[in-house]
């Protein structure tokens, strides 16, 4: 990636990060971190491991159909993965920041079509695993909690939403997604003209990307399952973050409840994808899910605060890693 583009990503992310930090109550943040103590250190360290699962998923996708010898170093990809997520956190719309960065970083190593296809597949797999996580969490709630009529209706809506999402992505895996998405954009106001010109000028490349997407599912089912399993494992393991924090204020907290809190909160946060760092939505999700599981309001507030601080720390780390990547 050229230095100009790298600096552009870095400056943009830094500006948004500075704005996000300015929204923190520093006294409250310091009290929260001090109260959590070594548990907060464990939370921050946990994500160093979780990003390894994300990297593994992308690594598997990139090397599908390539010679056995790795063309991309895993630890270089790990660094790009962290930086990509940092830009996603900082960008309204999420994928508008991290995905272009990943494509531009990977392009010199595997070519633009393979880079674009692998990044699209990685994003698809990341989102696809979320739908499975939410669906399985709905079943977990029914198995472990008392279901009221109102909650039953909500769970039915979640199951229907997740089932629709899984169906959509399964079709995308089988037939490709790039052309289908661009065809949808061609019918939207304001960007219709741009989308039509883009499809006309890049039809061959879009078809090639879709062929590579379909090939992962059709020709390499083990690779497909491995990538999805790595992402889903990351979703489940990331509930440890909430569990560690809850132990500070609620010693009787359990891991299954932490999974349910994460599932409900991440669902709300992703529905508010247009907000940088899902500002406000994630905090509200933590508070409501904690109350719904009969936990104290203090527990919900503490989780929301420390998770937000952890996100800011890893966003800063990801942005710094952009500056350390001096090789195109």
């Amino acid at each position: 990636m050229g230095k100009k583009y790298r600096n552009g990503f870095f400056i943009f992310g830094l500006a948004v990060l500075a704005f996000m930090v300015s929204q923190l109550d520093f006294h409250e943040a310091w009290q929260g971190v001090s109260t959590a103590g070594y548990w907060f250190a464990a939370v921050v360290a946990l994500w160093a491991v979780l990003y390894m699962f994300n990297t593994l998923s992308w690594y598997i996708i990139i090397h599908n159909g390539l010679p056995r010898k790795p063309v991309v170093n895993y630890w270089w990809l790990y660094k790009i993965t962290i930086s990509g997520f940092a830009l996603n956190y900082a960008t309204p719309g999420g994928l508008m920041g991290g995905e272009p960065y990943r494509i531009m970083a990977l392009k010199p190593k595997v070519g633009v079509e393979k880079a674009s296809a692998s990044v699209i597949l990685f994003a698809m797999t990341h989102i696809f695993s979320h739908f499975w996580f939410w669906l399985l969490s709905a079943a977990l709630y029914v198995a472990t909690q008392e279901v009221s009529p109102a909650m039953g209706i909500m769970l039915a809506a979640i199951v229907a939403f997740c089932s629709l999402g899984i169906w959509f992505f399964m079709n995308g895996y089988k037939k490709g997604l790039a052309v289908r998405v661009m065809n949808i954009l061609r019918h939207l106001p304001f960007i219709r003209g741009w989308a039509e010109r883009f499809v006309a000028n890049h039809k061959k490349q879009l078809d090639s990307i879709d062929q590579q997407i379909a090939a992962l599912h059709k020709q390499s089912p083990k690779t497909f399952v491995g990538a999805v399993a790595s992402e889903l494992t990351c979703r489940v393991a990331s509930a440890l973050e909430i569990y560690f924090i809850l132990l500070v204020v609620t010693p009787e907290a359990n891991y299954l409840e932490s999974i349910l809190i994460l599932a409900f909160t991440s669902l709300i946060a992703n529905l508010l994808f247009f907000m940088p760092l899902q500002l406000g939505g994630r905090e509200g999700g933590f508070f409501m899910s904690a109350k719904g599981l009969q936990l104290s309001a203090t527990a919900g507030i503490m989780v929301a605060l420390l998770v937000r601080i952890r996100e800011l720390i890893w966003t800063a780390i990801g942005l710094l890693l952009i500056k350390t990547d001096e090789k195109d």
Side-chain angles (χ1 to χ4, degrees):
M1 183 190 301
K3 187 174 182 180
K4 178 179 70 173
Y5 291 107
R6 188 185 303 114
N7 288 339
F9 281 114
F10 175 75
I11 293 170
F12 171 77
L14 191 63
V16 177
L17 177 64
F19 171 76
M20 294 301 150
V21 171
S22 71
Q23 305 304 301
L24 277 181
D25 182 324
F26 289 97
H27 176 70
E28 183 182 26
W30 176 248
Q31 279 192 326
V33 172
S34 299
T35 300
Y38 61 84
W39 282 116
F40 181 69
V43 164
V44 175
L46 172 67
W47 277 86
V49 178
L50 296 178
Y51 282 129
M52 291 181 187
F53 285 101
N54 295 133
T55 305
L56 177 61
S57 176
W58 192 18
Y59 185 84
I60 290 171
I61 290 169
I62 290 172
H63 290 89
N64 177 59
L66 294 179
R68 288 183 177 274
K69 183 179 179 180
V71 296
V72 177
N73 180 273
Y74 175 86
W75 294 110
W76 175 84
L77 198 67
Y78 178 68
K79 182 168 62 174
I80 299 301
T81 299
I82 294 173
S83 296
F85 277 115
L87 290 168
N88 281 347
Y89 280 133
T91 309
L95 301 181
M96 293 190 299
E99 271 38 60
Y101 173 77
R102 290 186 177 107
I103 291 172
M104 295 180 71
L106 190 59
K107 181 175 67 173
K109 298 182 181 294
V110 297
V112 64
E113 290 182 8
K114 180 66 176 179
S116 300
S118 72
V119 169
I120 292 172
L121 269 168
F122 178 55
M124 287 173 63
T125 303
H126 187 71
I127 299 170
F128 186 63
S129 69
H130 271 86
F131 281 113
W132 276 109
F133 178 62
W134 296 328
L135 185 64
L136 294 173
S137 295
L140 178 63
Y141 190 96
V142 172
T144 61
Q145 307 292 322
E146 183 177 346
V147 181
S148 66
M151 181 56 71
I153 294 173
M154 181 180 294
L155 289 173
I158 291 173
V159 169
F161 173 69
C162 292
S163 299
L164 181 62
I166 291 170
W167 171 84
F168 175 81
F169 277 96
M170 286 302 297
N171 274 274
Y173 279 117
K174 292 177 181 178
K175 302 176 183 178
L177 200 63
V179 173
R180 298 176 73 191
V181 170
M182 292 307 301
N183 284 334
I184 292 174
L185 295 180
R186 290 169 67 181
H187 294 86
L188 298 180
F190 305 112
I191 62 172
R192 181 186 298 122
W194 169 84
E196 289 180 349
R197 290 192 298 273
F198 186 90
V199 171
N201 295 330
H202 300 87
K203 184 65 167 62
K204 184 178 178 180
Q205 291 91 332
L206 290 171
D207 287 338
S208 176
I209 289 170
D210 275 346
Q211 289 172 6
Q212 292 182 56
I213 291 173
L216 177 68
H217 182 266
K218 293 178 181 178
Q219 300 174 12
S220 305
K222 290 183 179 180
T223 301
F224 170 75
V225 172
V228 174
S230 179
E231 282 292 307
L232 186 56
T233 299
C234 185
R235 299 283 78 71
V236 176
S238 64
L240 285 170
E241 173 179 47
I242 295 173
Y243 180 58
F244 291 164
I245 298 171
L246 287 178
L247 288 175
V248 177
V249 291
T250 311
E252 65 273 14
N254 65 71
Y255 184 56
L256 293 181
E257 287 183 342
S258 300
I259 292 175
L260 294 176
I261 291 173
L262 175 62
F264 183 75
T265 302
S266 63
L267 178 58
I268 292 178
N270 279 276
L271 291 175
L272 298 175
F273 67 91
F274 53 85
M275 300 175 66
L277 286 172
Q278 291 93 32
L279 196 61
R282 182 162 296 187
E283 283 77 3
F286 278 127
F287 181 79
M288 289 188 292
S289 56
K291 291 291 287 183
L293 291 171
Q294 310 304 315
L295 300 175
S296 67
T298 301
I301 294 171
M302 177 68 81
V303 170
L305 174 64
L306 295 184
V307 168
R308 179 65 65 197
I309 296 171
R310 184 272 303 164
E311 286 178 336
L312 292 173
I313 290 172
W314 275 103
T315 299
I317 292 172
L319 294 176
L320 289 174
L321 289 175
I322 291 176
K323 291 297 292 180
T324 65
D325 183 25
E326 295 299 331
K327 295 181 180 180
D328 291 343

